[in-house]
Structures are given as structure tokens and as C-alpha cells.
Amino acid sequence: MPGTDGQDDGAAPGPAAGPAGAPGPDDGTGFVDISVPSVARMYDDLLGGRDNFPVDRAANKELLAQVPSMRNLALQNRQFLRRVVRVLAREYGVRQFIDHGSGLPTRDNVHEVAQRVDPSCRVVYIDNDPIVRNIGGAMLERNENTAVLRADLRDTAAVFGDPQVRRLIDPREPVAALFVSVLHCIPEADDPKGLVARVRDRLPDGSFLVVCQLVSDDPRIRDFVTRYMAEQTHGAWGRVREKADVRGYFEGLDIQAPGLVEVSTWRPDADRVPAQETFEWEEYGGLGRVVR
């Protein structure tokens, strides 16, 4: 029967989390403040979704004026998510997934990709944006192998102890924990590297972590995007980091081929969005295996 070991990770969850786990405008009651941009809704707009508001589209318009590659970057990141889930299910035989900071549902979500390989695949989505919970819950209510958990992803003990996670995730079998384009929303004070390590330590041997986040070698871009997103989302943001930071997330993991790369080059197939041509900033990461 799926369960958890009940260990205390010793990490306080901090203030109410935004859509990716960072402090944000959500007051914990389900109230949605549509006067403040949401990272999840901005991402939805970049992907061409409809679950966003004028404030989110206005924030993206200003961001794209400064960093026009952002839309393609978001699309490439989504394609990476689909590819890595398909590889995990088809080639590695993974049948259970925990998607940290899942964002708003869009076409080809994790459960849809995985369950095309095997309908028995089980998926838990974690996000704190009330719109994600409302829309995702309605979409998944007839799929008994999926759940949307509205929670602070930084509180690892609460996540793994949640009844929905205990129902769907068997700790005796390999699990894929996904941190796709979410850790740049976690401030340094909340220790994103420690978060990844806590999740890694709870996973059984043979499990996997998928991690990527925004990075740049250009301090001007790092500073601009970090400052802009923090201002727009009222603090629901971490920072654009460097590749060395991402490499640190993979400590203690066996990094799988082709290694840590710009995500459009990670085992590309017939993607609709061309690979990134300029690398002033990028989504950088890969796939790591837990080996005890």
C-alpha cells in the first residue's frame, strides 16, 4: 500500500507559497488576486493558453520587449517536459511521477504523456496557485491515477505525507520527481538545493529527478529578469541562476545521457519549436538517477 516513512525533514514551509512554491499573493483561502501577475498564469499565456488575465498578459508583453526569446524558451521547456516523461515511462519503466510546481494544465500534461505509454501510470501534481487546483482538479476528477495537490512544495514532509500522495505513490517503487522550470521561483533563503536534496533522500533506489531552471552567463540578464519578475509578482520569485547552481542540484545523482544541457538539445525529436539559437539565457538541466 502506498505510504511514506514519516520522517521530519526539519524545514519550515515559510509563508504561503505562490504558484511555484515561493512566497506569493495567495492568502491560503482560494482567493485569486487578479491585480497581481501569477508565474503560473504568465507561463500559461506564453504557451498560448487561455487561463490567464490581462495583468498576466501585460507583464509578459513588457518582459518580451526586453527578452524576446522568452516565448520560444517557454515552448521549448514544455517540449522538454514531454520528452523526458516519455523517456522515463517508455525506456526506464517509471510508472509514478510527482510534478513539483506543475502550473496550469495545458495540452500533453505529464499524466497524458505517461499514460499513453501505460494507463496505469500515476501522477501527482503539486502547485499552490488556487486556479491550478480548481482547473486541474476539475480536469482530473475522472482519472483515478492522478491528483492535484494544492501545497507548498518546499514542505517536503507535508507533501509526502499527504493522503493523495500516499494513495498514489508507492515508496517501494521508483518515482520520478519533476522540478521543471520551477526552482528559479524559489528564493535563496528557501534553499532550492536543499529542497531537491530532501526530495532525493525520500526516493527509493532507482528513482529519478528531472531538474531544469533559467540560467544566464550574462549578469545583466540575470539581474533584469530576477528584478522584473520579483516586482511583478510581489516577491513570488527566486532568481535566474548560473549553470554551476544547477549542477549543484544533481549532487549525489547519476546524471543520465546526454548530461546537463540546454533543454531543447536534450534528446530532441520531432519538436515543433526550433532549438534555441542564442544562449544569452536558457533553461538548463537534465535527468539524474538515484543510486544508493
Side-chain angles (χ1 to χ4, degrees), residues 30-32 105 129-140 148 150:
F31 169 75
V32 179
D129 191 306
I131 290 184
V132 173
R133 179 64 186 89
N134 294 341
I135 295 174
M139 183 185 75
L140 299 174
V148 180
R150 186 171 172 225

Side-chain angles (χ1 to χ4, degrees), residues 2-259:
T4 185
D5 60 13
Q7 75 186 63
D8 181 3
D9 293 299
D26 175 23
D27 64 0
T29 67
F31 169 75
V32 179
D33 185 353
I34 63 172
S35 70
V36 178
S38 153
V39 177
R41 298 194 311 262
M42 289 177 67
Y43 188 60
D44 177 70
D45 173 52
L46 290 170
L47 293 174
R50 296 179 294 178
D51 297 310
N52 52 78
F53 296 103
V55 67
D56 307 302
R57 296 190 287 274
N60 273 338
K61 183 177 180 180
E62 187 173 344
L63 178 61
L64 288 166
Q66 297 294 324
V67 192
S69 62
M70 184 61 178
R71 191 179 302 278
N72 263 12
L73 188 146
L75 292 167
Q76 290 156 1
N77 176 72
R78 191 71 189 181
Q79 290 179 159
F80 165 70
L81 174 65
R82 295 168 185 152
R83 291 197 308 275
V84 76
V85 169
R86 186 163 55 245
V87 165
L88 283 164
R90 182 180 295 164
E91 300 183 19
Y92 290 98
V94 175
R95 294 295 179 263
Q96 43 188 9
F97 299 80
I98 303 177
D99 187 0
H100 294 79
S102 56
L104 284 154
T106 185
R107 190 170 64 180
D108 270 358
N109 294 285
V110 171
H111 73 283
E112 293 167 322
V113 175
Q115 289 174 2
R116 277 199 291 270
V117 177
D118 185 337
S120 72
C121 286
R122 305 180 299 281
V123 179
V124 177
Y125 297 98
I126 302 169
D127 206 295
N128 199 58
D129 191 306
I131 290 184
V132 173
R133 179 64 186 89
N134 294 341
I135 295 174
M139 183 185 75
L140 299 174
E141 63 183 1
R142 296 183 180 179
N143 190 322
E144 65 181 11
N145 285 333
T146 63
V148 180
L149 174 61
R150 186 171 172 225
D152 183 340
L153 64 82
R154 297 166 297 175
D155 191 349
T156 306
V159 167
F160 278 78
D162 187 274
Q164 291 281 57
V165 176
R166 294 172 63 88
R167 176 177 71 86
L168 290 173
I169 304 300
D170 187 337
R172 300 166 298 185
E173 299 176 3
V175 181
L178 312 179
F179 291 91
V180 176
S181 198
V182 63
L183 292 174
H184 47 244
C185 300
I186 306 295
E188 290 302 295
D190 290 332
D191 188 15
K193 181 180 176 182
L195 165 61
V196 174
R198 291 196 302 276
V199 173
R200 177 201 66 205
D201 291 346
R202 280 185 172 264
L203 301 180
D205 185 47
S207 293
F208 295 88
L209 276 87
V210 179
V211 182
C212 68
Q213 82 139 78
L214 290 172
V215 302
S216 179
D217 294 328
D218 185 337
R220 182 190 64 83
I221 291 178
R222 287 200 304 269
D223 292 346
F224 167 74
V225 177
T226 296
R227 183 177 63 255
Y228 177 79
M229 289 300 296
E231 291 172 351
Q232 290 293 316
T233 62
H234 291 198
W237 188 253
R239 70 177 177 90
V240 178
R241 296 186 170 92
E242 301 177 63
K243 291 178 180 178
D245 297 309
V246 178
R247 289 192 288 270
Y249 300 148
F250 285 85
E251 288 181 4
L253 298 172
D254 180 17
I255 299 174
Q256 305 295 292

